[in-house]
Amino acid sequence: MTTTSAVDTATGSAQFITHSPGTGHSARSGDRKMNAPSTKPTSPTASRRQPDSSDRAQAQVFAAMLTVEIDAVSALVDEAEQLAHKARQIGQGTARLWHNEEARSQRKMLYELHRQLDALHARFPDGSG
């Protein structure tokens, strides 16, 4: 009797299994892949909805994080420029080139962070920092 109920339970629960781990496909032939992206086009109005209070709160947090990151990268740019200047003064051409390249790389990152912060301010002009 326990064998029959165990088989019935296994058969009954098989209908609820929609994904077999490791196989990448569903257990039933008509099911779609569990994490497959939707192929439905999104409407233009859905992507341009008005921000709500949770969006604004998240924007404020993100703006604060970007500001901290901007300050840190700015310090790295200043440090690399100072080291390049010192290397030039003592005749270390290779070190000067390396520090100049480091400053250029960090400056590029700084410009990207400012671009992101500007975009955030444009999207949330009233409360993103």
Side-chain angles (χ1 to χ4, degrees):
M1 194 154 206
T2 56
T3 306
T4 306
S5 57
V7 170
D8 290 339
T9 303
T11 305
S13 65
Q15 69 183 356
F16 296 108
I17 299 173
T18 60
H19 187 265
S20 300
T23 61
H25 57 81
S26 62
R28 291 184 279 171
S29 61
D31 289 344
R32 288 184 51 181
K33 196 171 180 183
M34 190 176 220
N35 293 324
S38 173
T39 56
K40 288 175 53 178
T42 58
S43 67
T45 56
S47 64
R48 295 180 188 219
R49 66 179 175 80
Q50 292 297 318
D52 60 7
S53 63
S54 63
D55 291 336
R56 283 183 176 77
Q58 188 175 19
Q60 288 175 341
V61 170
F62 193 54
M65 291 170 57
L66 281 171
T67 302
V68 168
E69 189 70 17
I70 285 170
D71 292 342
V73 174
S74 294
L76 291 174
V77 169
D78 291 342
E79 180 183 6
E81 287 175 344
Q82 288 174 0
L83 290 172
H85 181 71
K86 285 180 185 178
R88 184 181 60 79
Q89 286 179 332
I90 61 172
Q92 296 291 324
T94 305
R96 180 185 58 83
L97 291 174
W98 191 89
H99 290 298
N100 278 336
E101 180 60 26
E102 180 67 16
R104 187 192 69 75
S105 175
Q106 294 296 333
R107 201 175 300 110
K108 187 176 178 181
M109 174 64 78
L110 184 61
Y111 293 153
E112 175 61 19
L113 291 169
H114 276 289
R115 185 198 64 76
Q116 291 176 4
L117 187 59
D118 290 344
L120 195 61
H121 285 301
R123 177 75 171 99
F124 300 95
D126 58 340
S128 60

